[in-house]
Amino acid sequence: MSTLAAPAAPTARRAWLTDLPVLLVAVVWGASYLAAKGITTTHTVVAVLVLRFGVVLPALVAAGWRGLRALTAPQWRGAGTLGLILSGIFLLETYGVVHTSATNAGLIISLTMIFTPLAEAAVTRKRPPRAFLAAAGLSVLGVVLLTQGGGFTRPSPGDGLMLLAALARTVHVLAMSRIKAVRDADSLSLTTVQLGSAVAVFAVLAGAGTGESPWSVAADFGVREWAGLLFLSVFCTLFAFFVQMWAVRRTSPSRVSLLLGTEPLWAAAVGIAVGGERLGVVGLVGGVLVLVGTSWGRRAR
């Protein structure tokens, strides 16, 4: 038995070395809601989005230049369409987090894991398993309680925007699976074109006078704001993308998905521990139900 068990240690160690960076991505994504909330106001949402993605876009273009040149016209159009949807997601998420807590934002957006299989079942007309439907119901109940953490009141506008963002993420996932042209596209090139399209939308909105200009916001940023912006740009975007590409080649996509699925847990932990947010008893129960429901739903699916 000892000779058979010996090779397990290096294998387990390699798996842990692969899992750790992916788990770190989930942590920084969870922290991104509080970071975005800390540097953004209602009047600076568009400007912050231009700066956030404008910083990393040149690096992505440089890294994937050869792949970008190899894209066909249909792939450019498909990726551009996905980028338009992506711009809507980021606008909804960023406006949403300004008007709700970082904890609520991270937990509500996790409903994407429930909405996507339900939407896919509706499109394919295949009834999802009963266990998944039960998990979906538990998650929805959790969100209702989560938004009532201070007593039964009307959910905040930010909660509604985060719910719309979760639906928009679902549309993005379905569109990616149904636009045939992008299925065989290089993932780096696809991401670069999507972000480029999103930045173009943000730039147009900024030019149309939607809030403050990126230049005035950049000029007003202090050390804390620039640190928050670079955290969102470098860690939550650039680092996260390359870690996912690296990890998928070394482990299974389902394992990566499972680790990234811990994002709402980290969002709640950072919001409470660092941001000083409080859920209340009702909200705490709701948050737990969201985490249990989405985790159960991922396994039931």
Side-chain angles (χ1 to χ4, degrees):
M1 289 181 67
S2 59
T3 56
L4 292 174
T11 302
R13 186 159 52 246
R14 281 197 298 270
W16 172 244
L17 291 175
T18 302
D19 289 349
L20 188 60
V22 179
L23 189 61
L24 185 57
V25 169
V27 173
V28 298
W29 276 356
S32 69
Y33 300 100
L34 187 63
K37 189 175 180 67
I39 65 171
T40 314
T41 67
T42 304
H43 302 293
T44 63
V45 167
V46 173
V48 168
L49 287 172
V50 170
L51 295 171
R52 173 181 174 179
F53 297 109
V55 166
V56 298
L57 194 58
L60 288 174
V61 171
W65 180 246
R66 185 173 299 177
L68 287 171
R69 293 181 62 186
L71 290 178
T72 64
Q75 288 174 330
W76 276 95
R77 288 194 296 269
T81 300
L82 292 172
L84 294 178
I85 301 172
L86 193 65
S87 68
I89 294 171
F90 283 123
L91 286 167
L92 288 168
E93 285 184 358
T94 312
Y95 275 113
V97 79
V98 168
H99 295 290
T100 189
S101 68
T103 303
N104 277 24
L107 290 170
I108 292 173
I109 202 68
S110 69
L111 285 179
T112 303
M113 290 181 281
I114 296 296
F115 291 157
T116 301
L118 288 176
E120 190 175 13
V123 171
T124 60
R125 298 183 180 179
K126 292 182 179 179
R127 183 181 177 86
R130 289 182 180 180
F132 179 82
L133 293 176
L138 191 66
S139 298
V140 172
L141 174 62
V143 167
V144 171
L145 295 178
L146 177 67
T147 60
Q148 309 302 314
F152 287 94
T153 59
R154 180 180 299 178
S156 72
D159 294 332
L161 289 171
M162 294 308 300
L163 194 60
L164 290 175
L167 290 170
R169 280 195 184 190
T170 298
V171 172
H172 184 262
V173 172
L174 290 180
M176 189 176 294
S177 67
R178 297 182 72 83
I179 298 177
K180 295 180 180 179
V182 303
R183 292 178 185 172
D184 299 325
D186 172 66
S187 57
L188 175 57
S189 303
L190 182 62
T191 300
T192 303
V193 175
Q194 287 188 77
L195 285 181
S197 300
V199 169
V201 171
F202 304 146
V204 169
L205 291 175
T210 306
E212 298 183 32
S213 73
W215 322 118
S216 64
V217 169
D220 290 338
F221 270 3
V223 174
R224 184 182 69 85
E225 288 79 12
W226 275 110
L229 182 74
L230 290 175
F231 171 76
L232 291 170
S233 299
V234 176
F235 288 97
C236 299
T237 306
L238 205 60
F239 167 76
F241 173 76
F242 283 109
V243 165
Q244 287 180 85
M245 283 201 349
W246 171 81
V248 162
R249 295 189 178 100
R250 288 163 175 77
T251 186
S252 67
S254 59
R255 189 176 180 88
V256 172
S257 177
L258 188 65
L259 291 167
L260 293 180
T262 62
E263 175 192 346
L265 177 63
W266 298 111
V270 172
I272 293 170
V274 180
E277 298 176 350
R278 295 292 179 265
L279 288 176
V281 175
V282 174
L284 182 61
V285 171
V288 170
L289 290 181
V290 171
L291 292 172
V292 171
T294 52
S295 178
W296 181 19
R298 193 184 306 114
R299 287 172 172 78
R301 184 180 63 179

